[in-house]
Amino acid sequence: MLRVHQPAAVALDAAPSRNAGPSDARAITHEEAVQRLGGSILLIDGLDPVSVTRVPGTSVDGADPRREAVLVRYLDPTFGAIELAQQRILTADSLEASAPSATGVIVPRARKAAPESSRSALAAVSWKDGHGFQMTLTAAVPAGSLAALRARVR
């Protein structure tokens, strides 16, 4: 079961942000992302990615900071900007690499002020799935909507 923490309202930009700076991230093709992730990539069912980027592991919650991760960005008319970061778990990364994480904690992410009309709480949830991926889903949506998006990751 997903444990949800209701964040306080925080002023946000229009899109979720990563810690990676422009020089740290590089756009890649979907095919290159699949190759970097060892043959498969997880996506949000029903949404079309607008970009795929290679980012440092330091920019993804729970990822191995020594290795790159893949960040898939979406722009949904209902949910707005959504980011799904993923990194293949190596056996040496964690003693729990083969066991999926049954719970995740949705946490708030503070960001700089945005116009009043676009204020919403930015939340993220990180988990290990049963297929060897460390995942982080970030969006400016209510916790219940973030949990629903997480359930659509395949």
Side-chain angles (χ1 to χ4, degrees), residues 20-46:
S23 63
D24 297 331
R26 184 175 76 79
I28 57 176
T29 65
H30 180 87
E31 292 76 20
E32 187 177 354
V34 169
Q35 182 180 19
R36 288 183 173 279
L37 292 169
S40 63
I41 188 170
L42 296 173
L43 301 170
I44 300 173
D45 191 33

Side-chain angles (χ1 to χ4, degrees), residues 84-100:
L84 179 64
Q86 52 198 291
Q87 185 184 71
R88 182 64 78 170
I89 298 170
L90 299 178
T91 306
D93 286 346
S94 169
L95 297 175
E96 303 171 13
S98 62

Side-chain angles (χ1 to χ4, degrees), residues 8 32 39 50 127 137:
E32 187 177 354
V50 294
W127 73 97
L137 180 63

